[in-house]
């Protein structure tokens, strides 16, 4: 099996990417981590095989994970792809961080229901949930590690403390250095021990590539119509007719954790929503993932320019929505009040920084490469073919 660096050079030689010294350096660092994981995996096997001989074996130091951060479009996801393909670990899981946390909250809820019914004993669901996760995968890899939700922030310290105690190794990509996580968040002082924990258990590496490689692939396909108005509405109607082969479409709904998520119009694997229907209603990551899994193409009408803190909630939902569509290679056709880089106008709040990633992704989603890619339905972690990969 080729290692991470060899795979990187193979992509360069094939002309699929341009060589970048910073990317190559991180690929080399990921190589070392895979070597450490292979050695640790072997030692665990030997320790297990000799457990009958020793009542108390010598405990090895845990493997230090990796936290790779840098600006959007620098190649972090590509490097994670290469690392995962080369990893010797059998019990491993890769997930977008928002999707992982949605899974964690669902497991916590399920455990609390068992507590109420008397099926299990105890008063804190965090530890058993962490142990369950550790049993499923001892290498966790997260794309787009970010913390904006107070519910996430308040449980991460206890959750990851237990994961690390169970020997879990974490690799993550992020657009921000750990010290900037949950910046300006409510009760952030309670979150600071988690940042310290990450810095103790993960080596922090900055990917300083020379350019935004996503922007270099901008294709300019006519899938983003500006400005809003009658012309934009007509363009969307024409796009719907062309993509569905003239089908009118009909309303439908998705069932998400017992709730009904309305789909105003769908036909032949396409769905059409207005911005208000997606981002002005109390929808969350699990709802957007359900949409991303169900439809290969989504049309969104009348995305407005979001100004200031007055539209902060809508902007946060929009960020999460685009993450779900992008991560599942869903094609996006939209009418909007501005180009992606001008959609969110504010001078304060963490959403300003996060929207830079969203704008970059929206631009990439217009490229020929993205539009040519097949719809990749990434199922929920609890499904049989979910985020745990056996190799």
């Amino acid at each position: 099996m080729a290692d991470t660096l060899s795979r990187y050079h193979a992509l360069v030689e094939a002309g699929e990417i341009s060589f970048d010294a910073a990317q190559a350096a991180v690929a080399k660092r990921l190589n070392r981590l895979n070597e450490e994981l292979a050695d640790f995996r072997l030692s665990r096997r030997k320790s297990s095989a000799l457990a009958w001989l020793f009542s108390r074996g010598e405990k090895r130091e845990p493997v230090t994970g990796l936290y790779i951060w840098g600006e959007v479009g620098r190649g972090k996801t590509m490097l994670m792809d290469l690392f995962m393909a080369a990893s010797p670990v059998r019990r491993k899981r890769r997930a977008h961080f928002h999707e992982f946390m949605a899974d964690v909250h669902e497991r916590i809820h399920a455990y609390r229901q068992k507590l109420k019914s008397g099926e299990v004993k105890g008063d804190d669901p965090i530890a058993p949930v962490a142990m369950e996760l550790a049993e499923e995968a001892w290498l966790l890899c997260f794309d787009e590690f970010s913390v904006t939700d107070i519910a996430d922030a308040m449980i991460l310290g206890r959750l990851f403390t237990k994961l690390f105690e169970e020997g879990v190794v974490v690799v993550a990509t992020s657009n921000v250095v750990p010290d900037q996580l949950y910046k300006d968040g409510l009760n952030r002082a309670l979150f600071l021990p988690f940042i310290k924990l990450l810095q103790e258990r993960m080596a922090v590496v900055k990917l300083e590539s020379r350019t935004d490689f996503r922007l270099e692939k901008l294709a300019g396909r006519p899938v983003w119509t500006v400005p809003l108005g009658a012309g934009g509405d007509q363009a969307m109607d024409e796009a719907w007719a062309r993509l569905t082969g003239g089908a009118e479409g009909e309303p439908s709904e998705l069932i998400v954790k017992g709730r009904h998520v309305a789909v105003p119009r769908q036909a032949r694997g396409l769905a059409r929503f207005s911005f208000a229907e997606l981002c002005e209603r109390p929808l969350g990551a699990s709802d957007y993932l359900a949409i991303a899994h169900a439809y290969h193409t989504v049309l969104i009408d009348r995305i407005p320019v979001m100004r200031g803190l007055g539209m902060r909630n809508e902007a946060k939902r929009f960020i999460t929505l685009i993450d779900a569509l992008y991560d599942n290679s869903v094609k996006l056709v939209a009418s909007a009040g501005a180009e992606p880089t001008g959609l969110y106008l504010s001078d304060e709040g963490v959403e300003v920084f996060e929207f830079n990633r969203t704008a970059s992704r929206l631009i990439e989603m217009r490229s020929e490469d993205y539009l040519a890619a097949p719809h990749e339905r990434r199922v929920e972690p609890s499904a049989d073919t979910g985020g745990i990969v056996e190799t």
Side-chain angles (χ1 to χ4, degrees), residues 112 124-127 130 154-163:
R112 283 176 174 155
D124 183 9
I126 302 297
M154 294 302 101
I155 69 171
L156 280 171
R158 287 183 293 153
L159 178 70
F160 274 73
T161 295
K162 189 61 179 176
L163 287 173

Side-chain angles (χ1 to χ4, degrees), residues 26-39:
V26 173
K28 187 176 181 179
R29 178 66 184 82
L30 288 166
N31 258 6
R32 293 203 305 271
L33 177 56
N34 263 336
E35 291 170 359
E36 293 168 5
L37 289 169
D39 182 51

